[in-house]
Amino acid sequence: MITAAPGDLVQILDHEGRFFYFRLAPGARLETHRGVLRHDDLIGRPYGSKVLTHLGRPFYFFTPPIHDLVNDAKRQSQILFPKDIGLILMKLNVRPGLTVLEAGTGSGGLTLALANAVGPTGRVISYDVRPDMQNIARKNLELAGMLERVEFKLRDIKDGFDESDVEAFFLDVPNPYDYCAQVHRVLRGGGHFGCLVPTVNQVSDLLISLQREWFVLPEVCELLLRNYKTVPARLRPVDRMVAHTGFLVFARPILPSAHEPQKVITAENAESAEE
Amino acid sequence: MITAAPGDLVQILDHEGRFFYFRLAPGARLETHRGVLRHDDLIGRPYGSKVLTHLGRPFYFFTPPIHDLVNDAKRQSQILFPKDIGLILMKLNVRPGLTVLEAGTGSGGLTLALANAVGPTGRVISYDVRPDMQNIARKNLELAGMLERVEFKLRDIKDGFDESDVEAFFLDVPNPYDYCAQVHRVLRGGGHFGCLVPTVNQVSDLLISLQREWFVLPEVCELLLRNYKTVPARLRPVDRMVAHTGFLVFARPILPSAHEPQKVITAENAESAEE
Amino acid sequence: MITAAPGDLVQILDHEGRFFYFRLAPGARLETHRGVLRHDDLIGRPYGSKVLTHLGRPFYFFTPPIHDLVNDAKRQSQILFPKDIGLILMKLNVRPGLTVLEAGTGSGGLTLALANAVGPTGRVISYDVRPDMQNIARKNLELAGMLERVEFKLRDIKDGFDESDVEAFFLDVPNPYDYCAQVHRVLRGGGHFGCLVPTVNQVSDLLISLQREWFVLPEVCELLLRNYKTVPARLRPVDRMVAHTGFLVFARPILPSAHEPQKVITAENAESAEE
Amino acid sequence: MITAAPGDLVQILDHEGRFFYFRLAPGARLETHRGVLRHDDLIGRPYGSKVLTHLGRPFYFFTPPIHDLVNDAKRQSQILFPKDIGLILMKLNVRPGLTVLEAGTGSGGLTLALANAVGPTGRVISYDVRPDMQNIARKNLELAGMLERVEFKLRDIKDGFDESDVEAFFLDVPNPYDYCAQVHRVLRGGGHFGCLVPTVNQVSDLLISLQREWFVLPEVCELLLRNYKTVPARLRPVDRMVAHTGFLVFARPILPSAHEPQKVITAENAESAEE
């Protein structure tokens, strides 16, 4: 039976279905709107059990999954949704030990998920031009205990990147079409490029830029997440949902070639890649 | 510049946008519908470059991301889609070094993604009652070079599991509601349970069973993936899409308690968990 | 040029994009949150022009389409959405001169659209058990000037209907599966049945009842409406949308036959209708 | 009991769930892939009953709803889907007695639905530049018995329209943004404009043109229709669906005004219409 230990990051569930996150420290106390929780009342008890505040109000306590850490991360900007991040991890082949780049850092929602997925032997290098945003991201990573996996760089990415032969890059800036050349230089041939943009105009501009800068296999998609009310005898979708988080764009860099005109290769129009 | 080396798993892109996968071996040859490709023509060349068959037909070659390995895995049964797997990885907190269980194995699409995500220091234990399915899964994992991360068990799961205190479990069987007690026993308190079922009737039955067997925070959702045609000047969704892959159900096990009636806790009706 | 005349139903557009509805009467005044509008300032002026309040604040004025009358109808209950009503009108073949039945009346949103579609030579017969609901519906129809096209009946529909050989019936009650026999009796062979229910459990129960009561060609569908922000240079879906209004169920009554077992006929499983 | 009469348009349902349409004529015969149906075997029998071919194979026969007539209309071009037409009828306030314009005619799917909705006292005026398309539309309307409600005009609409003070206009051409001035001239103030375009680029261009040509209340939306398999004990969405039929754009013409700058009024940014 796995029990809570000092230093563990825990999430507790309140009566309204919200989570709160903190690290266990002997002697510490958590003030809640429903009374005081003594950390010592959690330490040594099995996860998934109930703990009471000094007012006798119950909380369940758990270890938080990366899904919830991203969802509940502190933010000063729109953050990537777990549904989108999940697909990004698959498309960019993020895995233990990998070095992956992102720009910009934003509030660090994706940074968290990348750091979680590359593990202690991997590395996330995250560029942003705004120190205030990186400070928020830093706090989110520190809480999650993954700060040492991330290297933050404060930089206008029009000046390019320090790295080379990187396998995976995620670009989350308002004008991604302005940086495709820089991104191509940092990626290794056949690597993975991903991007999220909110408007269709950005998608069009990005596709043009990707084609010009020697990316192939462009893909554009969106994911719609629909939740259901969980009453077995009255099962139905919830009333309202998020209609749009952004368009995901993926592509893969190839080596430039002097001897041929550049063509877009996709599953749809791959024939055009023929000489 | 990263170049292809003997033993690498590569994917080549044909003129119709399809991928083919193989491991590089000095002296080996690949017969394609467009001529013969000599492995030696790839070895030592940078990824993302073009290689010609003996008929002069070009292929681009890459290293394959887990997204494509899953998508193109051999199968004798419906396979989980990458869009769903991405969310499952986030919700089940699958990460480097973890031990994760699944049942059934099926054709091993999810097994591949789990093995990729837990890395060389993690472990996937996969139960199925059908040896033929596990053999297909084994081949998919072998191609991907991740067979040693997976332990296959041939077993009717109504007899339960050998493990205990497991953090994450994914159940992909036609009658998941029959195994919630067994799954609860193998999970540690506060762990992560996920399931995919195609029909709403299964969802209802599963929700009832989860509540009875001490799971809280039930969630039911579905993900709709819509792709776009990637012509910048005529950007539009594709004509047809997959309308349904399944309902994803998630929940978390708590410790049974003798002194209280069992109640469902969700973000929607968490108040009902109050004494 | 079409100008506003006394007795016209008009809609005016305020500065927040909301509509207000009233009938023009010489000498009348409308108090708004932005000043007083004199009806005489609208009468005789062309639709689509601007009128000013006594405070100089502008309103555009129009004649309202049925879409807006339904959307902005007074209500004490959930009302059918125009997106769903549009499909219902097509499936139930509602057209000028038709007599159509509905139960229950509810707040009269669908009643409005049916009365509009059957025109002055058609007839809507609307059953409900609650007089308060029918009073709201009556007010909505009166404002729209279509009250005389509708006959309200106050009745528990388990006792059946007065009519026979009706071509189209829409059922909007919580337990539609309890009334399929009654609905079958009132419909003519080959007529059109429609229903809206919020939960999947109701859909299943209704399908069973429809099959038993000699309905064929069952169809179940849902319509998702996604709106876009209308800024040309930043075109994108809105952030949130309605995720669920209900499942639409359609079927067609056939004549009972003594000599054959009852089978469901659908486009999917029509073969099973074979002897 | 309503029985089939000579001259009736009927639809029969075959064993694969497909419909066939024809008009009943005494003595006539229909050759089917399952034997010969004698019209005289249908005439005088109630709708919703079964009729046998000379090989003893059964068909159910019905009167067809407009939904099915549109769905199964002959076509040489993409046709509007009933789901979209339903919403168009609501938004454009199409109703008995109305005169409505459309351009282009295409294969006449929308023409059918408009003619059905305006009834014998209404009128549809349909412009197209291609006589072959209008001939197909004519055949579809003739079968449905609604040809006399429609006036076809063979014309390049850049030259404008003959009519004026029209209440409702639907534009279904590849370059709708080139005709907004012409459409504005034919519409009465406060009328209804609708359009369907497949790409986001067309939407952006159309929005710009509508704003310039004195249209307000622009709306852009799309409708996604998801069907379900109708097995009560295994209820679930179908596997694949139509992902995109087009973006619907609606707007309303106002009177041009010399004294003010033109602004877009929408529910979202209506405040900007303020002086």
Side-chain angles (χ1 to χ4, degrees), chain A residues 75-87:
Chain A
R75 63 193 69 181
Q76 279 189 2
S77 59
Q78 182 56 56
I79 214 161
L80 280 167
F81 281 64
K83 69 175 174 75
D84 294 321
I85 292 178
L87 186 60

mmCIF file of all heavy atoms in Angstrom, chain A residues 75-87:
data_model
loop_
_atom_site.group_PDB
_atom_site.id
_atom_site.type_symbol
_atom_site.label_atom_id
_atom_site.label_comp_id
_atom_site.label_asym_id
_atom_site.label_seq_id
_atom_site.Cartn_x
_atom_site.Cartn_y
_atom_site.Cartn_z
ATOM 1 N N ARG A 75 -1.381 30.675 -14.633
ATOM 2 C CA ARG A 75 -1.222 31.183 -16.003
ATOM 3 C C ARG A 75 -1.459 32.679 -16.087
ATOM 4 O O ARG A 75 -2.232 33.248 -15.317
ATOM 5 C CB ARG A 75 -2.174 30.458 -16.935
ATOM 6 C CG ARG A 75 -3.649 30.682 -16.623
ATOM 7 C CD ARG A 75 -4.514 29.703 -17.377
ATOM 8 N NE ARG A 75 -4.310 28.355 -16.854
ATOM 9 C CZ ARG A 75 -4.910 27.263 -17.317
ATOM 10 N NH1 ARG A 75 -5.725 27.359 -18.344
ATOM 11 N NH2 ARG A 75 -4.694 26.090 -16.776
ATOM 12 N N GLN A 76 -0.783 33.322 -17.014
ATOM 13 C CA GLN A 76 -1.097 34.701 -17.376
ATOM 14 C C GLN A 76 -1.474 34.770 -18.840
ATOM 15 O O GLN A 76 -1.654 35.834 -19.404
ATOM 16 C CB GLN A 76 0.108 35.619 -17.133
ATOM 17 C CG GLN A 76 0.236 36.045 -15.687
ATOM 18 C CD GLN A 76 1.287 37.111 -15.514
ATOM 19 O OE1 GLN A 76 1.905 37.564 -16.473
ATOM 20 N NE2 GLN A 76 1.479 37.544 -14.280
ATOM 21 N N SER A 77 -1.519 33.625 -19.466
ATOM 22 C CA SER A 77 -1.830 33.565 -20.889
ATOM 23 C C SER A 77 -2.633 32.298 -21.123
ATOM 24 O O SER A 77 -2.663 31.407 -20.282
ATOM 25 C CB SER A 77 -0.541 33.527 -21.709
ATOM 26 O OG SER A 77 0.223 32.395 -21.321
ATOM 27 N N GLN A 78 -3.277 32.228 -22.274
ATOM 28 C CA GLN A 78 -3.961 30.988 -22.647
ATOM 29 C C GLN A 78 -2.964 29.856 -22.629
ATOM 30 O O GLN A 78 -1.804 30.023 -23.005
ATOM 31 C CB GLN A 78 -4.565 31.156 -24.049
ATOM 32 C CG GLN A 78 -5.341 29.956 -24.540
ATOM 33 C CD GLN A 78 -6.438 29.555 -23.584
ATOM 34 O OE1 GLN A 78 -7.297 30.348 -23.246
ATOM 35 N NE2 GLN A 78 -6.405 28.311 -23.087
ATOM 36 N N ILE A 79 -3.396 28.722 -22.147
ATOM 37 C CA ILE A 79 -2.510 27.582 -21.992
ATOM 38 C C ILE A 79 -2.992 26.464 -22.908
ATOM 39 O O ILE A 79 -4.167 26.368 -23.222
ATOM 40 C CB ILE A 79 -2.507 27.153 -20.492
ATOM 41 C CG1 ILE A 79 -1.145 26.635 -20.085
ATOM 42 C CG2 ILE A 79 -3.611 26.179 -20.200
ATOM 43 C CD1 ILE A 79 -0.957 26.633 -18.575
ATOM 44 N N LEU A 80 -2.088 25.653 -23.392
ATOM 45 C CA LEU A 80 -2.491 24.518 -24.223
ATOM 46 C C LEU A 80 -3.352 23.547 -23.416
ATOM 47 O O LEU A 80 -3.095 23.309 -22.239
ATOM 48 C CB LEU A 80 -1.259 23.784 -24.759
ATOM 49 C CG LEU A 80 -0.603 24.439 -25.976
ATOM 50 C CD1 LEU A 80 0.769 23.839 -26.229
ATOM 51 C CD2 LEU A 80 -1.479 24.227 -27.207
ATOM 52 N N PHE A 81 -4.356 22.972 -24.083
ATOM 53 C CA PHE A 81 -5.240 22.022 -23.411
ATOM 54 C C PHE A 81 -4.629 20.617 -23.461
ATOM 55 O O PHE A 81 -3.980 20.256 -24.450
ATOM 56 C CB PHE A 81 -6.599 21.990 -24.111
ATOM 57 C CG PHE A 81 -7.485 23.148 -23.740
ATOM 58 C CD1 PHE A 81 -7.142 24.445 -24.062
ATOM 59 C CD2 PHE A 81 -8.695 22.947 -23.083
ATOM 60 C CE1 PHE A 81 -7.964 25.515 -23.719
ATOM 61 C CE2 PHE A 81 -9.518 24.005 -22.739
ATOM 62 C CZ PHE A 81 -9.160 25.290 -23.065
ATOM 63 N N PRO A 82 -4.869 19.820 -22.416
ATOM 64 C CA PRO A 82 -4.348 18.444 -22.397
ATOM 65 C C PRO A 82 -4.726 17.639 -23.636
ATOM 66 O O PRO A 82 -3.915 16.856 -24.140
ATOM 67 C CB PRO A 82 -4.985 17.851 -21.128
ATOM 68 C CG PRO A 82 -5.125 19.026 -20.213
ATOM 69 C CD PRO A 82 -5.495 20.175 -21.115
ATOM 70 N N LYS A 83 -5.937 17.809 -24.152
ATOM 71 C CA LYS A 83 -6.341 17.069 -25.363
ATOM 72 C C LYS A 83 -5.379 17.353 -26.521
ATOM 73 O O LYS A 83 -5.044 16.458 -27.297
ATOM 74 C CB LYS A 83 -7.765 17.418 -25.771
ATOM 75 C CG LYS A 83 -7.935 18.846 -26.282
ATOM 76 C CD LYS A 83 -9.333 19.156 -26.795
ATOM 77 C CE LYS A 83 -9.486 20.618 -27.143
ATOM 78 N NZ LYS A 83 -8.824 21.027 -28.395
ATOM 79 N N ASP A 84 -4.972 18.629 -26.671
ATOM 80 C CA ASP A 84 -4.050 18.992 -27.744
ATOM 81 C C ASP A 84 -2.637 18.518 -27.428
ATOM 82 O O ASP A 84 -1.915 18.029 -28.299
ATOM 83 C CB ASP A 84 -4.067 20.507 -27.969
ATOM 84 C CG ASP A 84 -5.413 20.997 -28.493
ATOM 85 O OD1 ASP A 84 -6.013 20.299 -29.331
ATOM 86 O OD2 ASP A 84 -5.869 22.070 -28.069
ATOM 87 N N ILE A 85 -2.243 18.671 -26.168
ATOM 88 C CA ILE A 85 -0.894 18.249 -25.778
ATOM 89 C C ILE A 85 -0.700 16.762 -26.023
ATOM 90 O O ILE A 85 0.349 16.324 -26.512
ATOM 91 C CB ILE A 85 -0.630 18.589 -24.291
ATOM 92 C CG1 ILE A 85 -0.568 20.106 -24.106
ATOM 93 C CG2 ILE A 85 0.656 17.923 -23.799
ATOM 94 C CD1 ILE A 85 -0.369 20.552 -22.660
ATOM 95 N N GLY A 86 -1.723 15.970 -25.707
ATOM 96 C CA GLY A 86 -1.620 14.520 -25.914
ATOM 97 C C GLY A 86 -1.267 14.183 -27.356
ATOM 98 O O GLY A 86 -0.372 13.372 -27.625
ATOM 99 N N LEU A 87 -1.952 14.836 -28.281
ATOM 100 C CA LEU A 87 -1.669 14.557 -29.698
ATOM 101 C C LEU A 87 -0.292 15.087 -30.095
ATOM 102 O O LEU A 87 0.432 14.445 -30.872
ATOM 103 C CB LEU A 87 -2.757 15.176 -30.579
ATOM 104 C CG LEU A 87 -2.662 14.847 -32.063
ATOM 105 C CD1 LEU A 87 -2.756 13.346 -32.312
ATOM 106 C CD2 LEU A 87 -3.765 15.566 -32.852
#
